[in-house]
Amino acid sequence: MADGPTTSPTATSGAARRRTVLITGAGGEIGHGLIDALHAEGGFDIVAMDLKELDGALRGRCAAAYTGDVTDAGALAKVFERHGFDVVHHLAALLSSSGERNPELAHAVNVQGTLNLLRLSNELARSRGRDVQFIFPSSIAVYGMPGLAAKSDIGAVHEDRCLNPITMYGVNKLACEHLGRYYADHYMRLSPDAPKGRVDFRCLRFPGIISAHTLPTGGTSDFAPEMIHAAAKGEPYACFVRPDTRIPFMTMPDAVRSLLTLAAAPKERLTTRVYNVGAFSPSAAEIADLVRAAFPAAEVSYKVTEARQAIVDSWPASVDDDHARRDWGWAPQHDLRAAFSEYLIPTIRKRYGA
Ligand code: AKB
């Protein structure tokens, strides 16, 4: 049940022309970065929702903060009644490994939670007569490469190929992509007066994301951030995938920037609702080499977990993000070298005093 809002001292009251943004999963990895970025940009009243209390620093950047569950439709409705959202960034999800430990819970959170938010966004848009922008992070987990040889042959996968996910999370994300399209373009087709095109659904298929500030929980791409952070802490790390494992990644700053750039893109520029975004596609061994170069004492070994290996083997080696580059100017700031030299290593060293 969503608690009452925690209104922060920075909350603005009555300021015209500010945009009200809901961020679900606000306490998660992307949520941290998104709140910081929106707060720094200014002009947004940020309403945060998470299962857990937001930490003090984050809460201070929000106009309101709720502890609540996206599967609780009644609690969500109360939050929508209190705030006339212009934008919804729906980040709350159970990731791929967590989803395999509790697939029914993953479906409830990932799909029913998203449906709850799409319905409320559509109703809000209809009552106000103007769009609600719905920004949704999908994932490379929607892909299911038909074997390692095909993964290598196909290389950079296009948005329309190999959509055969093998995890509940990937199935959920693909379903939510279609739910978003339905609410945006096809809602209640047999009812001519039903609100159409009022949910401005925009979706990114994220690769693995590496943050210097936070560690992921429950993902299968987590081997990369886990390896880097362990080295910085002087802890040995047993990588749960093979050295040759290759999937696409990007840094957290690039992930946050991609969400904000897509949200800011003029609607008429967008030729699709779902975009790949990528930045670099290292193997686990290449990541380990960069980690050892930065932390020579790093102890990286390999202890493969076959079930998690099968998941990342089903994901593409890289993604074709030409549509995002063409339609709304996507361009990562960090390639692999810059990710380490400009962002990860200096920031992580500072964080751990390494
Ligand atoms: C996961 O590992 O499940 C996520 C993802 C690739 O979407 N980080």
Side-chain angles (χ1 to χ4, degrees):
M1 189 65 177
D3 299 334
T6 310
T7 304
S8 77
T10 60
T12 55
S13 60
R17 311 195 61 69
R18 292 179 68 83
R19 303 187 77 202
T20 305
V21 185
L22 171 65
I23 301 177
T24 69
E29 280 207 286
I30 302 177
H32 273 78
L34 187 58
I35 289 172
D36 288 345
L38 287 172
H39 183 264
E41 185 176 329
F44 294 96
D45 288 327
I46 302 168
V47 177
M49 174 179 264
D50 199 283
L51 278 176
K52 302 189 197 96
E53 283 283 337
L54 231 52
D55 70 45
L58 271 188
R59 198 167 60 242
R61 299 186 184 101
C62 299
Y66 297 85
T67 51
D69 182 340
V70 292
T71 62
D72 184 340
L76 282 178
K78 286 190 172 66
V79 174
F80 270 73
E81 281 159 21
R82 283 189 194 127
H83 306 277
F85 296 120
D86 300 289
V87 187
V88 174
H89 282 273
H90 174 35
L91 309 178
L94 259 71
L95 300 186
S96 54
S97 288
S98 299
E100 289 311 293
R101 296 185 186 106
N102 194 332
E104 288 73 19
L105 176 62
H107 179 84
V109 173
N110 295 343
V111 179
Q112 187 57 51
T114 302
L115 183 62
N116 290 342
L117 285 158
L118 284 167
R119 175 178 58 78
L120 288 164
S121 299
N122 191 41
E123 288 167 3
L124 174 60
R126 176 177 57 178
S127 65
R128 272 191 331 199
R130 72 168 188 272
D131 284 7
V132 170
Q133 199 178 62
F134 197 103
I135 308 298
F136 183 75
S138 182
S139 161
I140 56 171
V142 302
Y143 295 109
M145 310 312 288
L148 280 178
K151 171 171 176 168
S152 170
D153 294 345
I154 292 169
V157 71
H158 187 271
E159 282 96 348
D160 296 337
R161 290 197 67 185
C162 304
L163 296 172
N164 303 301
I166 68 166
T167 61
M168 175 58 98
Y169 170 71
V171 167
N172 297 160
K173 285 298 186 180
L174 191 56
C176 289
E177 292 179 7
H178 290 298
L179 281 173
R181 282 196 190 92
Y182 173 76
Y183 271 88
D185 304 318
H186 306 295
Y187 187 69
M188 289 183 74
R189 300 183 69 82
L190 297 183
S191 308
D193 60 340
K196 300 277 187 296
R198 285 293 187 207
V199 173
D200 179 7
F201 180 79
R202 305 182 183 196
C203 172
L204 294 174
R205 284 183 186 157
F206 275 138
I209 299 174
I210 309 176
S211 169
H213 297 283
T214 53
L215 266 166
T217 50
T220 318
S221 63
D222 296 357
F223 63 88
E226 287 175 355
M227 188 191 296
I228 299 163
H229 283 261
K233 290 186 282 187
E235 296 169 359
Y237 182 69
C239 182
F240 57 79
V241 297
R242 296 186 314 265
D244 65 298
T245 302
R246 188 179 301 277
I247 57 171
F249 284 96
M250 66 168 54
T251 62
M252 183 59 76
D254 270 339
V256 171
R257 205 162 47 78
S258 67
L259 288 170
L260 296 180
T261 309
L262 176 60
K267 200 172 178 178
E268 60 275 9
R269 292 271 311 272
L270 307 183
T271 60
T272 180
R273 294 204 175 274
V274 178
Y275 290 93
N276 280 339
V277 282
F280 47 87
S281 292
S283 68
E286 287 163 352
I287 295 170
D289 289 345
L290 287 164
V291 165
R292 289 190 193 97
F295 304 102
E299 293 174 51
V300 179
S301 59
Y302 294 89
K303 188 168 182 289
V304 176
T305 307
E306 291 305 333
R308 300 181 89 182
Q309 181 68 60
I311 291 173
V312 289
D313 284 347
S314 76
W315 293 350
S318 61
V319 292
D320 174 341
D321 57 9
D322 286 351
H323 284 165
R325 293 169 187 264
R326 179 200 63 202
D327 286 4
W328 46 276
W330 163 243
Q333 276 182 345
H334 296 135
D335 61 14
L336 179 60
R337 294 251 162 245
F340 275 78
S341 61
E342 293 173 19
Y343 168 63
L344 290 167
I345 301 309
T347 313
I348 283 180
R349 276 211 174 102
K350 210 181 297 173
R351 175 173 181 208
Y352 297 113

